[in-house]
Amino acid sequence: MATSDNKTADTDDKIFIGKGEQTAWLTLALANRHGLVTGATGTGKTVSLQVMAEGFARAGVPVFAADIKGDLSGISEIGEAKDFILKRAGEMGLNFQPDQFSTVFWDVFGEQGHPVRATVTEMGPLLLSRMLDLNDVQEGVLNVAFRVADENGLTLIDMKDLRSLLDAIAPAGGKRGPDAEEDELAEIRKAAQSYGNVSKATIGTIQRQLLVLENQGGTKFFGEPALLLKDFMKTDSDGRGMVNILVADKLMQNPRLYATFLLWMLSELFEELPEAGDLPKPKLVFFFDEAHLLFNDAPKALLDKIEQVVRLIRSKGVGVYFVTQNPIDVPDKVLAQLGNRVQHALRAFTPRDQKAVNAAAQTFRPNPKLDTARVIMELGKGEALVSFLEGGGTPTMVERVMIRPPTARIGPITPEERKAIMGKSPVKGKYDTAVDAESAYEMLQKRVATTAAPAEGQDGGGGGILGQIGSIVGTIFGTNVRRGRLSTGQVIARDVTRSVTNKVVGGIVADLGKSVGGSLGGSVGRALVRGALGGLLRR
């Protein structure tokens, strides 16, 4: 990897962003106060994002960035000393030295990067409801399903787990004979109904929404091995922060999945990271492109909690930078948390556009030397209005600057270059192959099979551990013999048998999950804190 002389521009505690009448510095100790990069299409937002990402990486701060158009991938390859780049660098007093940065590519669909997966349990009912665009009644039923899964030790990993659970809590149709009380799923249905009416129609609607998600390829996101966010927070052998790029061109075809995925990552980071206080530099910096999708059609309660998470995650040492066309795309409560601003040009061809320009101008600390609203419409490509936090955490007066040129390549890389980078990736092989562990789907299938199997131990041990223990204890009490009606003593014995069996097997499964890692062992804990956002919304 090439070395860079641009350390002469950056300092140990600041990143050089651009230069006008004043030099624009982003202070690392204040970088976790979040930020905003805005501007019309083609005005240079992606270049500004790349300059900031390069600065953080040089300072040893890992970066995660969503790449909508593929242009940011060039950060992984050596820059080119083109004439316009050399000219701009010279005007700023920079000794331009082409550079490149250690990069890991991620892709929810596993096509242009390592797969990104989460379990259904980790996602939780709130974010899953938003992803499926469920109404309040349907979201309530989904919450019931998750509660029943928690109480019955049913681990929800992938989509078939959720489908089988929804089938299990749906009311049974028609009249059932005397053997109905032997149906293991009857207890699950009864538990679901105890939380309120769970209708077949509502279950059917949720199942159809799951089908829509499946047809969009969203089910590839659910499964194992689930992403460990610590894999984002790494440095390379030179002490530079790794640049993690989420390939999002295909993901953007389902904007709701994209937005929910980003929101899930924020909530997981908030849950997993310890309190850090004031650090000399962030532990991790996120750049979320097309940020307005996070807030589109979101209910007020969700917007309030997004604002709360954005505010609180600062104390974990994480900086969040939203990238969108106009500041008014971001709700005021969230906008108030974004102290570091880069505003590229906006065009005003209609009265509505003019109103948006004026609103953008009002988000800056005024500079008596600048008519901010007028300058926003006059900015050329590569120019921006900037205001970064200083000393006491107050924003500087807005300044018009020329953004420094990136040192890595500007523009996308080739498929061959991407393949070569993935071949040397530090997480190569860790996430590339999906694992289908035993979870709710298999557990429910075993319950049904155990009930349907011949009694008196003639099923050859069917049902695994549950079947074997149940058979032994059931034989003692005489409860595993099929009959039309049980005596009162046998009913009590049957319930004791099931209770003891479920507790014993539940402990064995939990211990097994802990011994092999993954999501199985942590499912009970996830029920208590199912992502920071879900936990906050339950307060």
Side-chain angles (χ1 to χ4, degrees):
M1 179 177 294
T3 59
S4 173
D5 291 338
N6 285 296
K7 276 288 186 181
T8 57
D10 295 341
T11 67
D12 291 337
D13 60 348
K14 294 181 179 179
I15 300 173
F16 174 52
I17 301 297
K19 189 174 182 180
E21 287 191 9
Q22 301 291 329
T23 302
W25 299 93
L26 176 56
T27 303
L28 286 168
L30 299 172
N32 66 334
R33 304 292 180 92
H34 313 315
L36 182 68
V37 181
T38 53
T41 301
T43 57
K45 292 195 304 294
T46 302
V47 171
S48 292
L49 192 160
Q50 182 170 334
V51 167
M52 296 171 75
E54 289 182 4
F56 283 119
R58 274 193 294 267
V61 179
V63 172
F64 173 91
D67 189 14
I68 302 298
K69 303 183 293 292
D71 292 343
L72 194 59
S73 61
I75 199 171
S76 62
E77 296 296 329
I78 195 77
E80 302 175 59
K82 296 182 177 179
D83 290 342
F84 77 93
I85 293 178
L86 293 175
K87 180 181 178 182
R88 185 181 298 184
E91 292 171 349
M92 296 181 178
L94 290 173
N95 179 22
F96 180 79
Q97 176 66 44
D99 203 354
Q100 63 186 131
F101 297 83
S102 300
T103 305
V104 179
F105 291 102
W106 303 88
D107 184 358
V108 167
F109 302 99
E111 297 173 357
Q112 300 182 68
H114 301 292
V116 180
R117 301 186 190 88
T119 66
V120 172
T121 296
E122 288 173 328
M123 180 62 67
L126 173 73
L127 293 181
L128 193 57
S129 295
R130 190 189 183 208
M131 185 185 298
L132 298 174
D133 196 20
L134 303 183
N135 62 29
D136 290 344
V137 173
Q138 294 153 3
E139 181 180 342
V141 170
L142 196 60
N143 274 278
V144 169
F146 273 76
R147 174 64 69 87
V148 170
D150 294 338
E151 293 177 346
N152 288 270
L154 300 173
T155 309
L156 300 176
I157 293 178
D158 52 27
M159 201 64 77
K160 71 178 185 298
D161 291 328
L162 183 56
R163 279 195 175 281
S164 61
L165 176 63
L166 290 170
D167 287 338
I169 68 172
K175 295 183 179 180
R176 301 180 63 85
D179 285 343
E181 59 184 352
E182 292 299 318
D183 179 8
E184 288 288 347
L185 299 186
E187 294 181 2
I188 293 178
R189 296 189 185 99
K190 183 177 179 180
Q193 294 295 334
S194 70
Y195 293 109
N197 182 40
V198 176
S199 69
K200 273 192 170 183
T202 302
I203 294 291
T205 301
I206 299 174
Q207 294 277 33
R208 287 191 293 274
Q209 290 299 95
L210 288 175
L211 179 61
V212 172
L213 185 62
E214 289 173 355
N215 290 341
Q216 294 173 341
T219 51
K220 293 185 178 180
F221 175 57
F222 296 103
E224 287 193 318
L227 177 67
L228 297 177
L229 295 180
K230 67 180 182 180
D231 283 332
F232 287 160
M233 306 175 67
K234 292 183 176 181
T235 56
D236 63 16
S237 58
D238 296 325
R240 292 179 164 194
M242 297 291 294
V243 178
N244 299 274
I245 294 181
L246 174 70
V247 181
D249 52 349
K250 185 176 179 181
L251 185 60
M252 280 300 298
Q253 297 176 18
N254 185 354
R256 191 173 293 272
L257 174 60
Y258 171 74
T260 308
F261 166 72
L262 297 183
L263 206 51
W264 166 77
M265 292 186 68
L266 276 182
S267 64
E268 287 293 292
L269 277 170
F270 180 84
E271 176 191 337
E272 293 183 10
L273 294 179
E275 291 289 329
D278 293 327
L279 299 174
K281 61 184 179 182
K283 291 181 179 179
L284 177 69
V285 170
F286 272 68
F287 290 94
F288 291 161
D289 203 358
E290 301 293 343
H292 63 281
L293 295 174
L294 284 171
F295 312 106
N296 283 358
D297 303 321
K300 183 179 183 300
L302 184 56
L303 290 177
D304 289 343
K305 297 310 174 182
I306 293 173
E307 181 266 334
Q308 191 173 6
V309 170
V310 169
R311 185 178 72 249
L312 296 177
I313 203 171
R314 176 182 66 82
S315 66
K316 305 299 183 85
V318 176
V320 180
Y321 288 73
F322 296 101
V323 184
T324 188
Q325 292 202 9
N326 198 300
I328 63 175
D329 294 336
V330 182
D332 289 341
K333 286 186 177 181
V334 177
L335 195 62
Q337 306 297 323
L338 311 181
N340 300 296
R341 307 281 182 88
V342 178
Q343 174 69 63
H344 287 274
L346 291 174
R347 309 306 179 199
F349 301 110
T350 67
R352 184 177 181 276
D353 293 338
Q354 184 64 56
K355 184 178 179 180
V357 169
N358 291 331
Q362 292 171 9
T363 64
F364 286 100
R365 178 182 170 186
N367 184 340
K369 298 180 180 180
L370 291 177
D371 181 347
T372 307
R374 179 178 58 81
V375 172
I376 287 177
M377 295 184 289
E378 295 176 351
L379 292 170
K381 187 173 183 179
E383 281 190 299
L385 290 173
V386 301
S387 176
F388 296 132
L389 297 177
E390 59 182 358
T394 58
T396 60
M397 287 190 297
V398 61
E399 294 284 351
R400 181 175 183 171
V401 304
M402 180 66 72
I403 302 296
R404 66 174 292 178
T407 55
R409 182 189 299 177
I410 299 175
I413 61 176
T414 66
E416 292 74 20
E417 289 170 331
R418 184 186 300 273
K419 184 177 180 181
I421 292 170
M422 291 185 61
K424 298 181 292 184
S425 170
V427 294
K428 179 183 178 182
K430 185 172 183 178
Y431 298 104
D432 298 333
T433 303
V435 176
D436 189 9
E438 183 179 41
S439 49
Y441 173 79
E442 290 80 11
M443 293 175 184
L444 290 169
Q445 290 291 318
K446 283 187 177 182
R447 290 197 183 196
V448 174
T450 301
T451 303
E456 300 180 9
Q458 296 180 1
D459 60 352
I465 298 173
L466 177 61
Q468 295 175 32
I469 297 177
S471 177
I472 295 171
V473 184
T475 300
I476 295 174
F477 290 102
T479 58
N480 61 357
V481 179
R482 190 174 298 278
R483 65 197 74 204
R485 185 175 299 276
L486 301 178
S487 68
T488 301
Q490 289 171 334
V491 169
I492 295 173
R494 180 199 64 188
D495 292 340
V496 171
T497 300
R498 289 174 175 170
S499 176
V500 172
T501 300
N502 288 337
K503 287 182 179 179
V504 171
V505 176
I508 294 172
V509 172
D511 291 340
L512 178 61
K514 292 175 183 176
S515 67
V516 301
S519 298
L520 196 61
S523 61
V524 177
R526 288 287 181 184
L528 301 177
V529 280
R530 196 189 313 284
L533 196 61
L536 287 169
L537 283 170
R538 289 195 295 273
R539 293 178 185 173

